């Protein structure tokens, strides 16, 4: 593995941290904020479902799956950019 | 048969396996047409699948430490995703989840959100870093990151308590299914279930468990999806019901006042476990309801991210990147079942309630319902009970008692599907319970053999010794769990939620801060584990009806006691860390290294 400077490692970690914070904010919204307002959201309708109900049986779940794939796609880019992507030992 | 190139041939091997299983299902369907009895078909399904798992377990036997503990770190991401999904989805997910939604309404859906959202935490905070660390077990990480046997020992204690609570519920579930399918007493069923579980894991450790769990995932997902999709087509709810059952939800809301939902039963059932439907399907009240929902979801999520049998699955991938990828696939495979469960619960409820459907029973003639074949079947095994308490000859909602567990198991019969589907569902439930029990037993036995025996008691033990100790422990712990399971102390769901809360109270912050806070030190981690775990357990004892039976604070009942344990753990860990000296330069450098995804693992191979 080519030598990567301390500086580059620090920038890599800063970007990783920012991405993680972004992911956790989205996670928080769909885990807690949306279900908290389920009663109000149920007034609206989506695909024939009451919206609040839709989110807790499908919507949030789909967001979680996509969120992890999104995070991994971005994280791989961050790793490659820093020259730290060659994860195979 | 399987040598060297096994990993390259995985796709072909499992495609053949899946094809073989489908052929087996068709064969059973043909036999049913020729008049073979339902009992024989049930026995064939259970026996056939268990024998296959045992064969895989035997083929994967090993005497190498790396293969025994982490499957040689060569499991491709997609397959590890399937294995994790099987490891994760327990008897509770398979059997009890849809029933829980059926009876629990909105409040219960906190489990669905919690048990999926937890993987976001696993992916962003835990799995890649623990994989980079190169540990064999979760206490291995705690012990090396924080140093010292005391920290390692605390982690072992939390792991054993959480996993053991969980595993008794799984052995209980596998015993129930084995007993019903093989027509033997429950106490014997428990031991048959345990025997199957040990056959899968004992000879090959993590390697054997990995490849059986992939096989078990394939069985359980087919067994869950096939009946729902079949039923939906047969009853005209759409080809894929998942996106079209919104109308069914609205229709149930319309029907609920008409069938007097919420009226208490006027008499009790003569046996326990059954209940009537009283909770509305979709009626969140906001306020306290919302609070209970989010606290339950939070406990299940942090529990997911701290349960060792899940985290250790990510130690088996070839690289950090593959570990992350396999978290994504794990959640995808889990999602397939979790977004089906609410559809199943909704459609089953509609079929029983809606008087315009031929399957309706509520509001129908009592005698006609009483003589339905599926009602009689389940009544004879005390899973269902009905009584015309007001004597009007019509079955009311508060006269129909049912055990939540049978929503999944009885749905094929309610919808009038052939018996082969019920046999398939039994095989799926058994696969779900067995795969989770496998993972949990292995997590406990590995922590005791690797961390307690090898790292703390006898660091000079040779490989052969270590692996023999690991296997003896596996049998002893399995037997202990089976004895406790045969006493039937707790309901399946309660025990599962407790396991999550124990793990979250004791391990969540020490694990997260081990990677994300360099200043965290040994004393802090020990304080975090001890105070969090003790505070959570003490609160559980205070609030549980079987303990002191105290009034819950702010609605925090025994299912969500990690809401008390986790903050205590966090505060104790931060305060004690700051009061004591910072970790040495070597440890800080180690944390820096964990954050770099490429390069060698922190712990060398075969440490």
């Amino acid at each position: 593995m080519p030598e990567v400077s301390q500086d580059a490692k620090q920038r890599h970690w800063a970007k990783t941290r920012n991405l993680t914070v972004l992911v956790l904010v989205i996670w928080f919204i769909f885990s807690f904020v949306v279900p908290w307002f389920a009663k109000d959201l149920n007034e609206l309708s989506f695909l024939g479902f009451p919206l609040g109900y839709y989110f807790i049986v499908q919507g949030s779940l789909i967001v979680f799956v996509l969120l992890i794939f999104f995070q991994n796609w971005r994280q791989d880019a961050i790793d490659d950019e820093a020259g730290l992507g060659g994860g195979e030992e | 048969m399987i040598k060297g190139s096994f990993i390259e041939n995985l796709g072909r091997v499992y495609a053949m396996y899946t094809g073989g299983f489908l052929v087996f299902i068709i064969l059973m369907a043909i036999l049913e047409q020729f008049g073979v009895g339902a009992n024989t078909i049930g026995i064939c399904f259970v026996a056939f699948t268990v024998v296959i798992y045992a064969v895989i377990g035997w083929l994967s036997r090993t005497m190498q430490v790396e293969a025994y503990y982490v499957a040689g770190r060569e499991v491709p991401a997609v397959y590890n995703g399937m294995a994790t999904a099987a490891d994760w989805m327990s008897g509770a997910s398979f059997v009890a989840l849809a029933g829980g939604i059926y009876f629990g309404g909105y409040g219960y859906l906190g489990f669905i959100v919690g048990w999926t959202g937890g993987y976001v935490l696993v992916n962003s905070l835990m799995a890649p870093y623990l994989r980079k660390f190169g540990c064999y077990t979760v206490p291995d990480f705690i012990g090396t990151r924080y140093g010292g046997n005391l920290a390692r020992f605390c982690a072992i204690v939390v792991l054993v308590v959480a996993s053991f609570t969980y595993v008794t519920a799984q052995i209980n579930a596998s015993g129930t299914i084995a007993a019903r399918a093989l027509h033997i007493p429950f106490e014997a069923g428990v031991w048959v279930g345990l025997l199957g579980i040990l056959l899968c894991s004992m000879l090959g450790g993590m390697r054997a468990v990995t490849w059986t769990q992939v096989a078990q995932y394939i069985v359980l997902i087919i067994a869950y999806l096939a009946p729902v999709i079949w039923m939906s087509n047969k009853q005209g709810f759409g080809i894929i019901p998942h996106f079209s059952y919104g109308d069914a939800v609205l229709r149930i809301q319309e029907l609920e006042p008409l069938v007097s939902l919420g009226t208490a039963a006027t008499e009790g059932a003569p046996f326990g476990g059954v209940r009537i439907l009283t909770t509305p399907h979709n009626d969140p009240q906001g306020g306290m309801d919302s609070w209970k929902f989010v606290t339950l979801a939070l406990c299940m999520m942090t529990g997911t991210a701290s349960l060792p049998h899940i985290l250790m699955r990510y130690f088996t991938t070839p690289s950090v990147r593959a570990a992350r990828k396999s978290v994504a696939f794990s959640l995808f495979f889990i999602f397939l079942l979790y977004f089906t469960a609410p559809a199943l619960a909704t459609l089953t409820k509609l079929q029983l309630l809606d008087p315009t459907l031929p399957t309706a029973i509520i509001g129908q003639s009592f005698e006609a319902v009483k003589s339905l074949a599926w009602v009689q079947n389940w009544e004879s095994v005390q899973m269902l009970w009905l009584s015309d308490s007001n004597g009007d000859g019509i079955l009311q909602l508060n006269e129909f008692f049912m055990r939540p567990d049978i929503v999944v198991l009885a749905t094929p019969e309610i919808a009038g599907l052939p018996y082969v589907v019920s046999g398939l569902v039994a095989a799926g439930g058994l696969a779900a319970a067995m795969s989770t029990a496998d993972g949990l037993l292995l997590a406990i036995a590995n922590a005791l053999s690797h961390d307690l025996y090898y790292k703390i008691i006898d660091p000079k033990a040779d490989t052969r010794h270590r692996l023999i100790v690991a296997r003896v422990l596996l049998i002893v712990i399995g037997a202990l769990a089976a004895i406790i399971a045969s006493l039937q102390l707790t309901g399946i769901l309660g025990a599962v939620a407790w396991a999550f809360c124990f793990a979250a109270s004791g391990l969540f912050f020490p694990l997260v801060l081990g990677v994300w806070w360099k200043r965290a030190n040994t004393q802090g981690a020990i304080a975090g584990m001890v105070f969090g775990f003790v505070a959570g357990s003490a609160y559980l004892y205070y609030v549980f009806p079987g303990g002191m039976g105290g009034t819950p604070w702010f609605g925090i009942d025994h299912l969500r006691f990690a809401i008390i344990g986790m903050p205590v753990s966090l505060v104790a860990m931060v305060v004690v860390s700051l009061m004591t000296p910072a970790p040495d330069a070597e440890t800080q450098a180690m944390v820096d290294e964990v954050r770099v995804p490429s390069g060698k693992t922190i712990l060398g191979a075969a440490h």
Side-chain angles (χ1 to χ4, degrees), chain A residues 2-22:
Chain A
E3 210 35 61
V4 177
S5 70
Q6 276 308 316
D7 198 36
K9 281 185 183 169
Q10 269 171 14
R11 262 180 286 128
H12 169 264
W13 181 245
K15 283 186 185 170
T16 304
R17 208 177 41 212
N18 292 345
L19 176 64
T20 307
V21 170
L22 171 72

Side-chain angles (χ1 to χ4, degrees), chain B residues 137-144 146 148-165 306-308 440 442-457 473 477 502-503 506-507 510-511 525-526 529-530 533:
Chain B
T137 64
V138 168
D140 214 8
F141 170 76
I142 299 277
T144 315
Y146 296 111
N149 284 342
L150 186 58
R152 193 184 285 267
F153 183 74
C154 293
I156 296 173
V157 171
V158 179
L159 179 152
V160 169
V161 171
S163 306
F164 200 79
T165 313
S306 334
L307 272 171
L440 287 162
L442 202 63
I444 302 172
N446 287 0
L448 293 179
S449 68
H450 180 74
D451 294 289
L452 191 64
Y453 173 73
Y454 177 58
K455 289 286 181 176
I456 298 181
I457 296 174
L473 281 167
I477 293 159
F502 278 130
L507 285 174
L511 286 172
I526 294 170
M529 285 186 277
V530 172
F533 184 69

Side-chain angles (χ1 to χ4, degrees), chain B residues 47 85 172 279 361 417 501 555 598 600 605:
Chain B
N172 185 331
T279 316
I361 59 165
L417 306 183
C501 288
S598 61
K600 287 200 186 321

